[in-house]
Amino acid sequence: MTGTEKIKIAIHLGDEIAEVGEMVTDRKNIFFRYNPSFIEKRIEISPFKLPLSTEIHTANPYPFEGLFGVFYDSLPDGWGRLLLDRTLLKKGLLTEQVTPLDRLAIVGKKGMGALIYEPEFNIGEDFRNQPDLDDIAREVEAILHGDSSGNIEALYQAAGSSGGARPKILTGFNPLNNQIIPENEILPEGFEHWLVKFSSSADKSDAANIEFAFYKMALEAGIEMSPCNLFTGKSGRVYFGTKRFDRAGNQKIHLHSASGLLHDNFRQSTMDYGHLMDCAFRLENHINAYRKILRLAAFNVFSHNRDDHSRNFAFLMDASGDWKLAPAFDLTFSTSAFGMHSTSVAGETKSPGRTQLMELANHFKIKNAPEIIEQVVSAVRKWPSFAEEYGVSSVSISQINSVIKRLTA
């Protein structure tokens, strides 16, 4: 299955599947060309780095292995990439032999968002029965500790092309009867496309409760988020889940991360919230885009969510080509690899606060910025009540509250 030299790309636009174009490689570079029929639609799937054109496009090798960001967004990273590489090794394939086009072929039609790739290589096997969250958690822990798993291929299929360091699966969930079923492109009536997270080796035992309390706190702060839920396994163990915003029923929605849009290396990001504000305004063409980013920046600053890298912000495009900021996600008490904010606030990464937030607001002429910031501060200060209501341990409540008090003083 290695050695893919050509990939065809299509996209779901509502009920239509449109041919976007194709990529080919000469083993040194990757070349992309739009399909003329897609150019006629005048829909920009990546307006900043891959504008509509009859030319042959070539991306730089850095930061996305020669791919344009819009296609790199389809690939799994973190946990998903770990599972894929383990699955490939189990099949006797060295990961260095697997090219970016091979990886896109493995994604096929199962990626996040609305893009699909042909030919498609199926390397895994699906969970045949209803997923048991406790069993999956044990499998995850074994893999994180370096042990082999007989179910690793099914785990890879369940993880799909999801990103992020924390283990997760894609699943179908029926909110009326709380039933969970294996993920499928087309789910039965009553089921929705959801994502369920599991603890990493660095997580606290109440990580799911903490993230759910942050979800409720973010809603109080006026931030849009997709519906979230706490799932309880047979053992009583709790797992955090969220409804996927790249699905509307069984329809796929085009998803593009800020990292992919701006070709920012999210592992060594140079992005500022000012860049994100500019990006959002150019896509939405409305001043409210500035306010949404300011609100999100304020929440991340005052709640100590420092793993705010550029792949943790995303935009959605509808079937007509109109863009909007995606609901916020991965909001929880966290730090980055270097302890600083991954995305700077008016150039400050170590200790941003009201001064830097107002500097951004003044630059972009956001008139009601003080009110936005104070609404966020008011919500974040309610952390103890949110945390207690949703089962966060007293130790975690106290530790997080001491940090929040300092940040919101």
Side-chain angles (χ1 to χ4, degrees):
M1 56 140 275
T2 57
T4 305
E5 295 183 351
K6 183 166 73 172
I7 285 277
K8 290 185 177 181
I9 304 116
I11 188 171
H12 287 258
L13 297 174
D15 295 325
E16 176 193 4
I17 297 179
E19 293 185 9
V20 174
E22 65 179 22
M23 275 185 288
V24 298
T25 181
D26 62 0
R27 298 288 176 174
K28 293 181 181 179
N29 298 293
I30 298 173
F31 307 96
F32 170 78
R33 182 167 58 187
Y34 279 109
N35 188 309
S37 64
F38 191 78
I39 294 175
E40 292 175 2
K41 292 181 178 294
R42 303 181 69 180
I43 290 176
E44 301 267 16
I45 62 168
S46 188
F48 305 145
K49 299 297 182 180
L50 194 57
L52 291 176
S53 167
T54 57
E55 298 176 3
I56 295 175
H57 301 267
T58 307
N60 293 325
Y62 179 87
F64 300 132
E65 302 175 48
L67 293 175
F68 283 94
V70 66
F71 306 129
Y72 193 81
D73 275 348
S74 297
L75 296 180
D77 73 282
W79 170 252
R81 184 153 182 142
L82 171 67
L83 284 182
L84 174 55
D85 288 350
R86 293 275 184 93
T87 301
L88 293 171
L89 286 171
K90 187 176 179 180
K91 293 181 176 294
L93 295 169
L94 298 176
T95 54
E96 56 264 30
Q97 295 175 327
V98 181
T99 69
L101 292 195
D102 293 330
R103 291 180 181 274
L104 288 174
I106 292 169
V107 168
K109 61 183 179 181
K110 300 183 294 294
M112 307 294 281
L115 293 174
I116 53 179
Y117 302 91
E118 294 180 349
E120 179 180 17
F121 298 142
N122 187 5
I123 66 165
E125 58 183 54
D126 297 329
F127 281 106
R128 291 181 173 82
N129 303 314
Q130 178 174 333
D132 182 281
L133 297 180
D134 290 337
D135 287 345
I136 294 173
R138 284 189 285 271
E139 295 274 4
V140 165
E141 288 166 1
I143 291 172
L144 289 174
H145 285 91
D147 299 329
S148 60
S149 166
N151 227 10
I152 194 166
E153 294 174 40
L155 273 176
Y156 166 70
Q157 288 291 86
S161 64
S162 58
R166 286 181 65 187
K168 53 186 66 71
I169 63 166
L170 307 178
T171 188
F173 172 59
N174 189 327
L176 296 180
N177 59 18
N178 289 327
Q179 185 181 359
I180 294 176
I181 62 173
E183 163 72 359
N184 207 324
E185 190 174 10
I186 304 296
L187 293 176
E189 186 176 351
F191 284 85
E192 301 169 341
H193 294 268
W194 276 62
L195 179 154
V196 179
K197 294 183 179 182
F198 300 85
S199 295
S200 70
S201 53
D203 281 335
K204 296 184 176 187
S205 59
D206 56 352
N209 307 80
I210 292 171
E211 187 164 2
F212 192 77
F214 263 64
Y215 156 66
K216 291 291 188 176
M217 197 163 67
L219 294 181
E220 176 86 2
I223 293 170
E224 180 190 0
M225 292 191 70
S226 196
C228 299
N229 194 19
L230 286 176
F231 297 90
T232 304
K234 295 176 182 177
S235 67
R237 190 170 176 178
V238 175
Y239 308 93
F240 177 86
T242 184
K243 185 179 178 182
R244 290 173 59 182
F245 49 70
D246 66 329
R247 297 290 183 269
N250 285 315
Q251 284 194 343
K252 298 182 177 182
I253 302 171
H254 182 48
L255 170 71
H256 205 349
S257 74
S259 169
L261 269 161
L262 301 175
H263 278 205
D264 178 71
N265 180 1
F266 64 95
R267 293 186 178 89
Q268 298 175 321
S269 180
T270 58
M271 194 175 78
D272 190 276
Y273 279 97
H275 298 135
L276 195 58
M277 285 181 172
D278 179 66
C279 177
F281 179 78
R282 290 167 66 187
L283 290 174
E284 295 192 1
N285 197 29
H286 196 284
I287 195 170
N288 193 46
Y290 295 147
R291 300 188 187 103
K292 288 190 285 187
I293 301 300
L294 178 67
R295 190 180 296 274
L296 187 52
F299 184 86
N300 287 339
V301 165
F302 296 122
S303 69
H304 200 277
N305 176 28
R306 297 196 164 192
D307 192 30
D308 51 350
H309 58 74
S310 55
R311 207 168 188 185
N312 275 349
F313 307 101
F315 295 84
L316 300 172
M317 186 198 81
D318 66 18
S320 301
D322 294 326
W323 290 87
K324 69 174 183 177
L325 180 69
F329 57 99
D330 282 357
L331 300 185
T332 192
F333 187 86
S334 61
T335 190
S336 65
F338 301 102
M340 299 179 286
H341 278 275
S342 301
T343 297
S344 59
V345 185
E348 176 64 35
T349 57
K350 187 176 181 180
S351 301
R354 286 179 174 84
T355 299
Q356 288 75 25
L357 290 166
M358 283 306 303
E359 186 177 335
L360 279 179
N362 291 334
H363 179 82
F364 289 97
K365 297 180 173 59
I366 304 173
K367 294 181 180 179
N368 61 334
E371 291 82 1
I372 291 173
I373 292 170
E374 288 312 310
Q375 182 186 355
V376 172
V377 168
S378 176
V380 170
R381 282 176 175 163
K382 296 178 183 177
W383 159 253
S385 59
F386 285 116
E388 187 174 350
E389 182 175 357
Y390 298 110
V392 179
S393 70
S394 58
V395 172
S396 294
I397 292 175
S398 178
Q399 289 176 342
I400 293 173
N401 196 46
S402 65
V403 176
I404 286 176
K405 278 185 173 181
R406 173 174 55 82
L407 294 173
T408 59

